Amino acid sequence: MRITKLGEEILRQVADPVAPEEINDELRAFIEEMFDTMIEADGVGLAGPQAGISKRLFVVISDDDVRRVFINPQIISTSAELCDYEEGCLSVPGVYESIQRPAKVTVQAFNEKGRPFTLEAEGLLARIIQHENDHLDGHLFIDRGDPDFAKQTVEQFKKRAEKLLKKRAEKEAKAKKIAAKKAAKNK
């Protein structure tokens, strides 16, 4: 599974709800792949849009090592108490910024079996839930920090994407040239 990166349109879209009939073995297999990808990338959360699907779901493994699945989550309350924490994101690799968020949240969601649950979270788990839930609304952590930093980060990723496209085009052109030479030789 490929993790989408800053600049890809899906990260800025509001994700669609998961229909009850979509909570099936196919989705559960996809969720397992999300966990594997997140762990391999050394992350603590991964949302549907980061995994290439515009669906309202995310997976989390916080500092308690419990695997949690949130389908169609809704944050129903947050604490007035705020805290700062340096955040990063698998979709914005190598970029970190101190972000202020509520210290506690209460979230309602469905698990991978389609069962509803309510969870009160604080500390790192509360932060991860808020961060991943933002992805479902087309927001990234850089949107919650210094606007100049966000603008610089977007520009940086735009330049990276342009370089990558240029390299791919050069590779394709080279491959076509080689193929044309081989074809001419075989005539």
Side-chain angles (χ1 to χ4, degrees):
M1 176 179 287
R2 187 181 76 77
I3 297 172
T4 58
K5 301 290 188 272
L6 177 62
E8 294 183 57
E9 202 173 302
I10 194 168
L11 290 175
R12 294 303 192 173
Q13 297 170 348
V14 174
D16 297 323
V18 177
E21 63 273 9
E22 292 178 295
I23 303 174
N24 54 29
D25 288 342
E26 187 179 333
L27 183 66
R28 284 185 279 280
F30 186 80
I31 287 168
E32 280 306 308
E33 194 175 346
M34 286 177 72
F35 272 117
D36 292 344
T37 300
M38 178 191 75
I39 292 165
E40 188 176 307
D42 202 24
V44 292
L46 189 68
Q50 293 179 282
I53 63 165
S54 187
K55 290 291 182 179
R56 297 191 76 78
L57 71 109
F58 59 82
V59 299
V60 168
I61 300 178
S62 187
D63 46 1
D64 59 4
D65 288 329
V66 175
R67 294 164 64 108
R68 292 183 173 91
V69 176
F70 297 80
I71 298 173
N72 296 334
Q74 292 183 315
I75 293 176
I76 56 172
S77 70
T78 59
S79 66
E81 177 192 353
L82 302 174
C83 64
D84 291 323
Y85 189 86
E86 188 173 73
E87 290 188 27
C89 181
L90 296 176
S91 291
V92 192
V95 175
Y96 302 91
E97 185 177 14
S98 183
I99 302 296
Q100 190 173 69
R101 294 188 188 266
K104 298 177 184 177
V105 297
T106 302
V107 61
Q108 290 180 332
F110 293 89
N111 67 17
E112 68 277 15
K113 295 176 183 168
R115 294 192 185 111
F117 68 92
T118 301
L119 176 70
E120 291 181 17
E122 59 184 295
L124 182 60
L125 180 57
R127 179 161 298 272
I128 299 167
I129 289 168
Q130 292 171 82
H131 178 110
E132 298 307 326
N133 198 68
D134 275 354
H135 279 297
L136 306 182
D137 293 324
H139 303 297
L140 298 172
F141 79 100
I142 58 173
D143 302 333
R144 296 195 173 276
D146 176 6
D148 290 334
F149 181 79
K151 187 177 177 184
Q152 289 171 349
T153 302
V154 168
E155 285 301 315
Q156 176 187 353
F157 274 76
K158 196 180 284 183
K159 286 178 185 172
R160 281 186 197 176
E162 288 168 359
K163 280 183 184 177
L164 188 62
L165 285 174
K166 186 178 177 185
K167 278 186 180 180
R168 281 187 190 149
E170 288 170 354
K171 238 182 185 179
E172 286 175 19
K174 190 175 183 179
K176 283 180 183 177
K177 207 175 192 180
I178 291 169
K181 281 183 182 180
K182 282 183 180 179
K185 237 185 202 181
N186 292 336
K187 281 188 175 182

